[in-house]
């Protein structure tokens, strides 16, 4: 995959996604991504974005101050 930021090659890998939603900080670990070799830009596929949105909505309903979730362990 090509980085949309700088045009360099982006390799498959994993990252940690952090979402701040008001009073709640949602941390999702082991998120599959493409990471640019040059600028470290992180790119997600559409299915990963959809799954992350589902995880964030679920975590918001729990109303915890901080939620740490493993991407691969959420159906």
């Amino acid at each position: 995959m090509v980085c949309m930021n700088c045009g360099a090659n982006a390799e498959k890998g994993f990252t940690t996604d952090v979402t701040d939603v008001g009073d709640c900080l949602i941390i999702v670990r082991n998120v599959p991504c493409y990471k640019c070799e040059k600028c470290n830009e992180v790119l997600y596929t559409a299915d990963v974005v959809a799954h992350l949105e589902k995880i964030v909505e679920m975590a918001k309903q729990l109303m915890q101050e901080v939620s740490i979730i493993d991407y691969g362990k959420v159906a």
Side-chain angles (χ1 to χ4, degrees), residues 2-23:
V2 175
C3 175
M4 296 188 307
N5 189 44
C6 72
N9 190 40
E11 293 289 327
K12 281 186 177 182
F14 294 91
T15 192
T16 300
D17 183 80
V18 179
T19 304
D20 186 351
V21 286
D23 294 338

Side-chain angles (χ1 to χ4, degrees), residues 1-73:
M1 179 176 267
V2 175
C3 175
M4 296 188 307
N5 189 44
C6 72
N9 190 40
E11 293 289 327
K12 281 186 177 182
F14 294 91
T15 192
T16 300
D17 183 80
V18 179
T19 304
D20 186 351
V21 286
D23 294 338
C24 183
L25 188 63
I26 302 166
I27 302 166
V28 184
R29 300 178 64 194
N30 302 313
V31 180
C33 68
Y34 287 89
K35 192 176 287 188
C36 179
E37 296 173 340
K38 185 175 180 183
C39 72
N40 289 322
E41 181 77 12
V42 173
L43 309 164
Y44 299 125
T45 60
D47 59 323
V48 170
V49 170
H51 195 62
L52 278 172
E53 288 173 350
K54 179 180 173 184
I55 292 170
V56 167
E57 284 305 311
M58 176 197 66
K60 282 171 42 178
Q61 291 182 7
L62 296 174
M63 297 302 292
Q64 297 181 26
E65 190 172 333
V66 177
S67 294
I68 302 174
I69 302 162
D70 190 310
Y71 180 90
K73 294 183 180 177

